[in-house]
Amino acid sequence: MPSVIVVGLQWGDEGKGKIVDVLSEKADVVARFQGGHNAGHTVVINNEKFILHVIPSGILYKGKKCLIGNGVVVDPASLVKEIEGLIRRNVQIDGSNLLLSKHAHVIMPYHIAIDQESEKLKGSKSIGTTGRGIGPTYCDKIGRTGIRISDLYQGELFRSKLKSNLLHINFLLENLYQSKGFNPDEIFEEYSGYAEKLREHVADTDIIINDAINSNKNVLLEGAQGTLLDIDHGTYPYVTSSNSTAGGACTGLGIGPTKITGVLGVIKAYTTRVGGGPFPTEIHDSLGELIREKGGEYGATTGRPRRCGWLDMVILRHSVRVNGLTGIAITKLDILDGLESLKICTSYKYNGRIYNEFPKEINIFNECEPVYEEIKGWKESTSGITDYKKLPERAREYIEKIQEMLGVEVQIISTGQRRDELIKIKEQF
Ligand code: GTP
Ligand code: IMP
Ligand code: MG
């Protein structure tokens, strides 16, 4: 009963989309457990690019059951658009292979408005959210006023929940944010329309996934964002509003921790982050720009340029710990080809003191300076290499250093965007 979780170990965009796509070949079920359409997973198949937002990356293989779990927040308008867009590109999607939890929470237009208005009000202190309504939807979930997918089919009960929520939300929008409120009847009509389009997909995903596990199917649990964006274990408040760490897979799908057999952490060979918040190894000169251009480091969801920096062992040690990893996948090694030297951050310095672990106080974290170990780069191209022995010696040294410093086996190395540009050291299924 292999059930393998794939999580990002940095600030998201590690290339989980490609890794999940590759692993999906042998999976029977692929499930998303948290986040929403703030995520952008890019998968390249035969030079054709697909950007997935809330649909699991496994959908690009025929015959895989793809689940959107209870821990995910769903914008029905965006989901309908994503389904229709993929169908237009000849991806088969229907009620047999895409299933949506009845308990997933619904992103409403007022959540999007609050997300955007509250960011505006924060000004220079804004988080830099994707503006998709993610935070306010999880607020309602935790505050027990959220609307779940199953509510969309409950007629007047759905309308009365909307009315009751909009009592205080419209007050907030109109008075605090000086913005426009929403009409519950209009939302009711529009969202009932989306509900009809999604009806064939709505299911008890907790039962489906446990049945799959109990019948020894290969189950892949796909994380979005990354460990440092986790609401509990990330660089709070510069985080997203869900548990993007391995534990989130259990709560976000209704699986007991005893059923998980592996946790694969994905690391990009360097570091990127979109949005505000501390990033000690950020490169501020032209080298940062070079990496951004070569790595195509622009948000898959928002198109924003990603901040680029060196590999940071302090955050990675934390990520290894909180996720309980069984293996590591390293992506985008090819982007570092041709650099004279590479830096690896081994600790931070603040106020004359060395920090081997990242300071939990965000104001101190913000001021930390990286302490680097510098190693020689490699001149040769690693692009498309599929055999570990064929990697340049210095590239192997880089990989082995990461493995040694983190104490976790490197099991996959990605050397390009395409499915076949991959070194598989250990199979996950
Ligand atoms: P999040 O949910 O936002 O974390 O998404 P993600 O981790 O799936 O990453 P995203 O797709 O946003 O960004 C990764 C980008 O790198 C995509 O354009 C991928 O096609 C590309 N990519 C992945 N692996 C490699 C690789 O090994 N080499 C190169 N050159 N590109 C890669
Ligand atoms: P939110 O998830 O839209 O609330 O955004 C909160 C923070 O998480 C912001 O810094 C975003 O840039 C970041 N974020 C959210 N989703 C992703 C993602 O898929 N990749 C990278 N960063 C993300
Ligand atoms: Mg992404």
Side-chain angles (χ1 to χ4, degrees):
M1 46 146 228
S3 301
V4 178
I5 305 175
V6 176
V7 284
L9 299 190
Q10 293 152 318
W11 278 282
D13 305 321
E14 295 91 352
K16 296 180 296 295
K18 164 165 176 180
I19 299 298
V20 170
D21 172 65
V22 168
L23 298 180
S24 292
E25 188 184 357
K26 289 197 182 154
D28 300 296
V29 176
V30 186
R32 267 283 300 271
F33 54 86
Q34 45 72 230
H37 66 315
N38 48 349
H41 297 287
T42 313
V43 180
V44 177
I45 303 168
N46 302 330
N47 297 324
E48 206 186 332
K49 186 167 161 179
F50 293 87
I51 298 180
L52 298 155
H53 295 289
V54 81
I55 298 179
S57 305
I59 202 76
L60 301 174
Y61 275 99
K62 280 209 176 82
K64 313 288 171 186
K65 247 191 200 351
C66 292
L67 310 183
I68 300 173
N70 56 277
V72 177
V73 288
V74 176
D75 179 328
S78 159
L79 178 56
V80 165
K81 203 168 137 204
E82 196 173 340
I83 294 172
E84 289 175 351
L86 287 170
I87 290 175
R88 267 199 304 278
R89 295 175 72 183
N90 299 319
V91 178
Q92 180 238 323
I93 304 184
D94 55 35
S96 72
N97 69 339
L98 179 66
L99 297 149
L100 168 62
S101 168
K102 288 180 187 165
H103 282 182
H105 277 250
V106 182
I107 301 176
M108 288 290 168
Y110 49 83
H111 293 129
I112 300 169
I114 293 175
D115 188 0
Q116 295 176 358
E117 293 297 337
S118 69
E119 282 280 278
K120 258 194 254 164
L121 197 70
K122 285 193 189 108
S124 64
K125 292 200 169 61
S126 73
I127 291 164
T129 72
T130 60
R132 301 289 195 271
I134 307 294
T137 308
Y138 280 114
C139 271
D140 278 3
K141 171 176 174 172
I142 302 302
R144 294 162 295 181
T145 56
I147 292 176
R148 307 206 280 196
I149 290 291
S150 56
D151 293 324
L152 300 180
Y153 302 93
Q154 300 304 310
E156 289 313 304
L157 190 68
F158 170 35
R159 197 195 299 270
S160 74
K161 282 194 176 187
L162 280 173
K163 278 189 177 150
S164 139
N165 285 355
L166 284 170
L167 267 184
H168 77 271
I169 282 165
N170 279 347
F171 182 84
L172 196 71
L173 283 169
E174 286 158 7
N175 296 286
L176 175 65
Y177 297 123
Q178 309 292 315
S179 171
K180 263 180 63 191
F182 288 85
N183 178 326
D185 295 318
E186 280 173 20
I187 298 182
F188 178 85
E189 287 306 321
E190 186 184 344
Y191 281 65
S192 297
Y194 301 134
E196 273 323 302
K197 290 193 171 169
L198 292 173
R199 191 183 278 278
E200 65 171 318
H201 301 286
V202 177
D204 292 314
T205 51
D206 56 328
I207 297 176
I208 296 171
I209 200 157
N210 278 289
D211 283 350
I213 291 171
N214 293 335
S215 24
N216 281 325
K217 301 273 193 232
N218 291 340
V219 175
L220 190 58
L221 311 166
E222 176 179 11
Q225 290 86 42
T227 300
L228 276 299
L229 288 174
D230 181 282
I231 186 76
D232 287 292
H233 302 292
T235 46
Y236 190 90
Y238 299 98
V239 291
T240 191
S241 299
S242 62
N243 285 116
S244 47
T245 43
C250 291
T251 54
L253 285 160
I255 306 173
T258 51
K259 308 279 181 180
I260 304 298
T261 54
V263 184
L264 181 73
V266 186
I267 300 176
K268 179 146 54 184
Y270 47 97
T271 313
T272 62
R273 140 160 242 181
V274 237
F279 183 1
T281 64
E282 183 167 10
I283 305 171
H284 295 280
D285 61 21
S286 58
L287 183 61
E289 270 160 50
L290 184 110
I291 293 175
R292 181 179 310 124
E293 290 313 315
K294 198 169 169 200
E297 297 297 351
Y298 291 88
T301 298
T302 58
R304 291 180 291 177
R306 294 174 181 154
R307 300 156 68 191
C308 297
W310 297 115
L311 203 62
D312 183 340
M313 287 298 155
V314 184
I315 66 158
L316 288 175
R317 282 196 295 265
H318 164 80
S319 299
V320 166
R321 192 165 45 236
V322 297
N323 287 297
L325 297 187
T326 53
I328 285 174
I330 298 180
T331 63
K332 296 193 134 177
L333 188 67
D334 53 304
I335 304 302
L336 299 180
D337 293 352
L339 294 183
E340 267 314 303
S341 64
L342 302 171
K343 288 182 184 174
I344 301 179
C345 169
T346 52
S347 59
Y348 299 152
K349 207 164 151 187
Y350 170 76
N351 230 352
R353 196 185 133 188
I354 292 289
Y355 285 75
N356 289 312
E357 300 298 341
F358 86 70
K360 295 287 184 333
E361 301 77 9
I362 195 80
N363 53 327
I364 297 180
F365 195 167
N366 249 326
E367 303 284 314
C368 279
E369 281 178 33
V371 177
Y372 286 120
E373 185 177 321
E374 197 155 344
I375 62 164
K376 285 210 168 83
W378 54 93
K379 295 251 178 313
E380 309 88 324
S381 164
T382 62
S383 198
I385 290 182
T386 54
D387 179 356
Y388 187 71
K389 293 192 288 294
K390 296 211 169 118
L391 283 179
E393 192 183 341
R394 296 240 168 84
R396 273 185 276 131
E397 276 169 20
Y398 188 57
I399 301 284
E400 279 151 31
K401 206 168 222 354
I402 296 171
Q403 179 165 273
E404 190 190 300
M405 284 177 159
L406 296 178
V408 184
E409 188 184 18
V410 174
Q411 298 177 341
I412 297 176
I413 301 163
S414 173
T415 55
Q417 282 194 301
R418 291 202 324 260
R419 274 178 178 165
D420 55 331
E421 294 175 313
L422 195 85
I423 301 170
K424 256 192 216 168
I425 297 165
K426 189 172 178 207
E427 294 286 347
Q428 303 298 311
F429 293 117

